Amino acid sequence: NQEVYRITLEITRSCAEGTSCHFQTAPVAVRYKPRAIFDVEPVVCVREAVDFDNNSCNADDYSWAFGDGATSNLENPSHTYLSAGDYQVTLTVSNECGDNVTVRDVKVVEEPDAEVNVIANPTTGCLPLEVFFENQSQNILGNAISNYEWSVSPRNGWFYKNRIIGNDTTFYNQATWDTQIQFTDTGTYIVELLVENVCGPDTWLDTIRVFEAPNIFLNNPGFQCLDNGSVTVVFDNTLV
């Protein structure tokens, strides 16, 4: 925090009798002004303790303001945010030579919330069945989803209708994270959307059931005779 220097005063006098020399040495302490420096993760989770790494120089006292009304005078505090949002963390350090201030921005996010709106077609139907999945996962202030991943099980009997890039297990629309799937075979399919952020993952699941379209055959009754102004026709319906 300080450097100590030795200052020497030397007095020399010349006279008829000769030359005399006198000196005196005294220490002088020079202190540096403080400098506020700290590190913190830019994105953290709500309701989890956040550690602040204090690297300040030449400080005797520390004053923290975490942006949510809470404060601390510890050198290396931890703090838990109870609400998602953007906060400014301020550190003020001081010594007898003055003070210094630095500010860092911290985004506090909730755990991810995977949500999909299934539109355009029902989740149960006959071949060929197209289903559009509109991603409605929360990606607003306080959430900050960093990764999405679509998957369908089993791997066969379907394809991404609007597939431009990617492969048949991880395709997504990079602009909206929506996807559209056409099912080409009967069966039960599990469609999954995985979303992640710094707080962990969340998964949305839905079941799609696809059935064979029915085939209807009507036997031709042939020619019928008109009897007293009316005729009765019987159709033999066979449903396959």
Side-chain angles (χ1 to χ4, degrees):
N1 290 336
Q2 66 182 24
E3 297 283 350
V4 178
Y5 299 89
R6 301 189 68 81
I7 307 299
T8 300
L9 173 63
E10 183 176 332
I11 300 175
T12 302
R13 173 184 293 178
S14 297
C15 56
E17 291 81 6
T19 301
S20 63
C21 182
H22 302 275
F23 65 89
Q24 183 175 353
T25 300
V28 176
V30 178
R31 294 210 63 182
Y32 295 98
K33 289 184 177 182
R35 184 181 178 188
I37 306 171
F38 74 93
D39 293 321
V40 63
E41 292 293 333
V43 181
V44 299
C45 297
V46 69
R47 296 178 294 276
E48 291 188 7
V50 181
D51 293 325
F52 297 86
D53 187 12
N54 188 355
N55 298 303
S56 301
C57 303
N58 312 311
D60 292 334
D61 300 300
Y62 307 91
S63 178
W64 296 85
F66 300 111
D68 60 351
T71 60
S72 175
N73 293 320
L74 297 177
E75 182 176 354
N76 291 287
S78 64
H79 180 63
T80 300
Y81 290 94
L82 301 180
S83 299
D86 292 326
Y87 298 90
Q88 282 194 331
V89 180
T90 303
L91 171 61
T92 303
V93 298
S94 61
N95 65 17
E96 60 189 19
C97 296
D99 57 38
N100 187 245
V101 179
T102 191
V103 177
R104 295 283 185 273
D105 292 326
V106 175
K107 178 183 285 293
V108 180
V109 302
E110 294 277 3
E111 295 179 353
D113 181 17
E115 185 62 38
V116 175
N117 183 29
V118 182
I119 60 177
N121 284 287
T123 57
T124 299
C126 296
L127 290 173
L129 179 66
E130 289 184 15
V131 183
F132 183 80
F133 299 89
E134 180 184 36
N135 173 36
Q136 294 185 335
S137 302
Q138 294 298 308
N139 193 20
I140 58 177
L141 175 65
N143 194 266
I145 293 177
S146 58
N147 181 56
Y148 298 82
E149 184 174 341
W150 288 98
S151 63
V152 182
S153 177
R155 295 173 60 96
N156 300 319
W158 57 273
F159 65 91
Y160 288 109
K161 183 70 180 295
N162 57 346
R163 185 164 65 90
I164 302 173
I165 60 173
N167 58 57
D168 284 345
T169 58
T170 59
F171 171 76
Y172 53 83
N173 184 311
Q174 286 186 321
T176 62
W177 306 94
D178 300 337
T179 193
Q180 185 174 357
I181 299 174
Q182 179 165 327
F183 296 91
T184 59
D185 200 359
T186 59
T188 300
Y189 299 86
I190 303 298
V191 180
E192 176 180 337
L193 174 62
L194 171 69
V195 298
E196 294 179 291
N197 69 6
V198 296
C199 300
D202 190 41
T203 301
W204 171 90
L205 293 171
D206 201 0
T207 300
I208 308 296
R209 293 179 174 86
V210 184
F211 303 98
E212 188 73 44
N215 294 318
I216 300 176
F217 297 93
L218 293 177
N219 293 329
N220 188 346
F223 293 100
Q224 301 293 320
C225 295
L226 186 64
D227 184 13
N228 295 324
S230 65
V231 63
T232 300
V233 180
V234 177
F235 293 94
D236 182 11
N237 172 33
T238 301
L239 180 63
V240 179

